[in-house]
Amino acid sequence: MKIFSKSICFFLLLVVSFNLSAQNGDEEKEMFNKGKDRNQKAIDEAVNGWWTASMKTHQKRIEWWEEAKFGMFVHWGIYSLPAGEWKGNKVSGYAEHLMRKEKISRKDYLSLASQFNPVDFNAEEWIKTAKNAGMKYFIITSKHHDGFAMYDSKISDFNIIQQTPFKRDPMKELADACHKNGMKFGFYYSHAFDWEYPDAPGNDWEYRNPGGDLGLYGGVNWYDLHPELLPKAVKYVNDKAIPQIKELIQKYHPDILWFDTPSKLPLSENIRILKAIRETDQNVVVNGRLAGTADLMFGDYRNTSDRPAEFYPVKEAWEAIPTTNESYGYHKFDDSHKPVSFFIKLMAKAASKGGNLLMNIGPMGNGKFDVKDLNILNGIGKWMSVNGESIYGSKSSDLPLQSWGVITSKDSREFLHVFDYPADRQLVLGGLKTKPVKAYLLMDKTKKALKIKKINETDLSILLPVNCPDTINTVIVLEVKKPVETAGSRLLSARIPNRLLAFDAVQHGKDLKFGDGKATRYDVENWKYQSVAKLAIQVE
């Protein structure tokens, strides 16, 4: 079938519904307005003062992070010891959520802590494993939602030194190992959830607090529906969250801080925590999940959804957090580990759209990595040792999407990541107007030139070797003279399947939205009824 370069448009009418908020009574409306006023005051103070000032050094702050592209995320705590089992029963879902799922009291959780003794933990081994996998930064859970500090905290006795027989500070050992091995280091800290602390959101089984599974006091909007409960959460932020975050900064000098679940606290509190961080350290990178609105992100970069399989377009700097199986903490019953090929392609996809990959590992309760995780890391490391140049410091390409894979760009080189090796060896690159200088395999140290044939004004063909060099992702380097001139579109291929994802489309309007990107959910949501929407597919 021959496809001409003439523009063809197909229009499909679809019926879509949009959720309308139920009308509230005057009292509830007044309380919501108070919440809005509180948040707006915090936003105005930030935008008109300290936050705007801190963003003057934003680009300098994240330079190393943008260059790194690939990091290790580690969820490790006393929950790693039971590893998805409680009182002889298997507990499904995230292993790190054991306390919440089994409604474990603080007292019983301390009994678990008394058994935590990871004598096989070796910080140097962890960091070298990450480094050999090609990772450039390392982030670990200093305190997860269970409220248990995995370091020597002077703020709370609910910590690894005072409550376990281990009596060592693994955070210090890891920080030292990172500095020794040239790895950037950082902490995950659960600022909004804390299941052990009587004043914090989340624990509704022992303290009857809001923010938990029972949806007490109005559920997610508890702080607006019941503002009388907010002082209690503020006390937690003042007495534990902010002091521990400052403690981590001053004691370990992290390069990056990572936060999650901000909706458990009002925006005003999240902004106040960020202000405390910036008053303590202007240079530490902070992820975007700490504080933000639909229109304004207060962190240094955005995060995608957890466990992504595909990525939708993001304008700002962004990061994805896949994990080797489905649980972030070690779960001995979870054997859903993804193949090495999944992560190699996912990394290339992320880099081709300007993002980072922060890949999670859940070490075991004894301090060792699961052999299944090690096999994945070793496989990625072998590929990165040959092809890392196409990832580190790369940016998204101006070339249009291709059917055979993705493209990353650096200086005057376009790195063609070929997932689907053409049977006839003819790799067709569409959308390039600039005359290419040379093409060669990245793995070929001699840079032996591959034959290039110009098909038309915007398309060319590269003759690949007879045997596929890498069945997962063969990287071709295409050298071009700057400035690189590209076409906004390309011809669809008549030789191989054309993979056109909803995630690759440009979104117009605010009613339809992208899915979260998890497996089987990289689609467009809100297709319902009551209103007519028009979808245009253009082929040029």
Side-chain angles (χ1 to χ4, degrees):
M1 174 183 173
K2 187 175 182 180
I3 302 178
F4 298 95
S5 60
K6 179 180 179 181
S7 294
I8 308 170
C9 290
F10 303 96
F11 294 98
L12 177 62
L13 296 181
L14 297 158
V15 181
V16 183
S17 79
F18 312 110
N19 296 324
L20 300 175
S21 300
Q23 291 185 342
N24 301 314
D26 290 340
E27 285 186 18
E28 189 172 298
K29 183 178 180 181
E30 183 180 349
M31 283 188 284
F32 270 109
N33 286 337
K34 286 181 180 178
K36 290 177 181 178
D37 290 344
R38 179 191 63 236
N39 289 340
Q40 192 59 53
K41 182 179 179 182
I43 292 171
D44 291 344
E45 180 193 6
V47 172
N48 296 326
W50 64 268
W51 178 75
T52 298
S54 75
M55 292 303 287
K56 291 180 180 178
T57 56
H58 167 254
Q59 191 53 46
K60 182 179 179 181
R61 189 160 57 237
I62 67 167
E63 276 180 2
W64 70 262
W65 179 88
E66 289 185 317
E67 172 69 25
K69 289 297 178 185
F70 188 35
M72 177 178 280
F73 205 12
V74 169
H75 279 63
W76 191 56
I78 60 175
Y79 47 78
S80 304
L81 184 61
E85 181 179 356
W86 187 247
K87 295 183 177 180
N89 296 317
K90 175 183 174 182
V91 182
S92 61
Y94 292 157
E96 65 274 18
H97 284 235
L98 178 73
M99 188 180 187
R100 173 186 66 83
K101 298 202 75 172
E102 293 302 303
K103 311 304 179 190
I104 303 171
S105 68
R106 187 183 192 275
K107 180 181 177 182
D108 287 345
Y109 209 65
L110 279 174
S111 296
L112 175 61
S114 69
Q115 304 169 48
F116 187 76
N117 192 22
V119 293
D120 292 328
F121 168 74
N122 186 313
E124 184 83 5
E125 192 175 276
W126 280 24
I127 300 308
K128 284 186 175 179
T129 298
K131 189 172 183 178
N132 290 338
M135 292 156 164
K136 298 292 187 180
Y137 60 115
F138 181 94
I139 300 174
I140 184 168
T141 47
S142 59
K143 186 203 84 166
H144 205 264
H145 304 330
D146 58 1
F148 194 86
M150 293 293 289
Y151 69 99
D152 185 13
S153 176
K154 306 305 181 185
I155 307 303
S156 168
D157 65 357
F158 205 64
N159 68 66
I160 193 169
I161 298 295
Q162 297 188 52
Q163 304 297 344
T164 78
F166 190 52
K167 304 301 180 187
R168 283 164 54 189
D169 186 342
M171 300 299 107
K172 182 182 186 307
E173 294 177 29
L174 286 165
D176 291 345
C178 279
H179 295 149
K180 178 182 175 181
N181 289 279
M183 181 89 69
K184 294 293 185 179
F185 177 75
F187 294 116
Y188 171 116
Y189 184 89
S190 177
H191 72 292
F193 257 152
D194 194 302
W195 297 326
E196 73 90 11
Y197 203 80
D199 294 319
N203 187 329
D204 55 16
W205 59 94
E206 188 171 11
Y207 306 133
R208 299 290 294 175
N209 284 344
D213 296 336
L214 297 178
L216 302 177
Y217 312 107
V220 294
N221 296 315
W222 66 267
Y223 35 75
D224 291 324
L225 294 171
H226 289 276
E228 73 277 6
L229 298 176
L230 188 52
K232 189 177 180 182
V234 170
K235 184 177 186 301
Y236 151 71
V237 171
N238 287 338
D239 294 351
K240 186 175 183 182
I242 287 179
Q244 280 196 331
I245 293 168
K246 286 186 173 182
E247 184 179 46
L248 289 169
I249 295 172
Q250 294 166 345
K251 194 170 185 175
Y252 306 97
H253 308 289
D255 300 293
I256 185 169
L257 292 174
W258 214 97
F259 299 93
D260 203 7
T261 64
S263 63
K264 303 302 176 181
L265 286 172
L267 177 61
S268 56
E269 285 303 289
N270 294 324
I271 291 176
R272 192 163 68 88
I273 291 171
L274 180 59
K275 182 181 180 183
I277 294 170
R278 288 291 169 239
E279 289 173 345
T280 310
D281 188 342
Q282 283 287 325
N283 296 317
V284 65
V285 175
V286 179
N287 76 316
R289 287 192 183 181
L290 174 56
T293 68
D295 302 315
L296 182 60
M297 188 264 299
F298 286 97
D300 289 308
Y301 65 87
R302 291 192 181 276
N303 288 102
T304 68
S305 300
D306 299 352
R307 312 189 326 273
E310 296 288 348
F311 309 113
Y312 52 77
V314 178
K315 293 181 180 179
E316 302 93 341
W318 61 274
E319 176 188 73
I321 53 167
T323 187
T324 52
N325 49 6
E326 291 301 298
S327 178
Y328 282 85
Y330 175 66
H331 198 304
K332 60 187 175 184
F333 299 111
D334 187 346
D335 293 320
S336 62
H337 293 75
K338 305 166 190 74
V340 172
S341 59
F342 173 85
F343 294 104
I344 290 175
K345 291 178 181 179
L346 194 68
M347 188 189 316
K349 291 175 185 178
S352 74
K353 293 189 175 183
N356 282 23
L357 210 64
L358 182 63
M359 180 178 160
N360 181 79
I361 303 295
M364 296 183 289
N366 62 5
K368 287 283 191 180
F369 283 1
D370 186 339
V371 66
K372 292 187 286 292
D373 292 335
L374 287 174
N375 289 337
I376 292 172
L377 291 170
N378 290 337
I380 296 172
K382 288 179 181 178
W383 187 88
M384 287 292 283
S385 66
V386 175
N387 300 288
E389 188 179 357
S390 67
I391 301 294
Y392 304 129
S394 66
K395 300 183 182 301
S396 56
S397 174
D398 291 330
L399 284 162
L401 297 166
Q402 310 291 321
S403 295
W404 39 257
V406 297
I407 305 173
T408 58
S409 182
K410 188 191 299 183
D411 302 323
S412 59
R413 291 172 295 170
E414 301 292 322
F415 296 94
L416 315 182
H417 296 258
V418 184
F419 302 160
D420 297 314
Y421 202 81
D424 62 1
R425 300 167 52 202
Q426 298 287 340
L427 184 75
V428 177
L429 174 68
L432 178 65
K433 291 184 177 180
T434 304
K435 184 178 180 180
V437 176
K438 185 180 181 181
Y440 55 91
L441 292 169
L442 180 57
M443 64 171 56
D444 183 359
K445 300 301 182 183
T446 68
K447 298 184 179 181
K448 181 181 178 181
L450 300 173
K451 186 177 180 180
I452 301 173
K453 179 183 178 181
K454 198 71 175 172
I455 299 174
N456 54 44
E457 184 184 353
T458 61
D459 300 328
L460 58 84
S461 173
I462 302 172
L463 183 63
L464 302 184
V466 175
N467 297 317
C468 177
D470 190 322
T471 56
I472 297 174
N473 180 0
T474 298
V475 182
I476 310 298
V477 182
L478 185 67
E479 295 182 355
V480 290
K481 290 184 178 180
K482 297 181 73 175
V484 179
E485 187 179 1
T486 64
S489 58
R490 65 169 174 85
L491 291 177
L492 293 180
S493 175
R495 300 160 52 255
I496 60 176
N498 292 281
R499 189 170 185 256
L500 300 172
L501 297 180
F503 267 30
D504 294 329
V506 178
Q507 181 181 347
H508 297 279
K510 296 182 179 180
D511 297 317
L512 297 178
K513 66 176 184 178
F514 291 117
D516 58 21
K518 293 184 176 72
T520 73
R521 289 180 5 205
Y522 34 91
D523 48 23
V524 175
E525 296 180 345
N526 281 2
W527 301 96
K528 296 180 183 177
Y529 59 91
Q530 291 182 355
S531 181
V532 176
K534 183 165 62 175
L535 175 69
I537 303 173
Q538 182 167 323
V539 180
E540 296 193 0

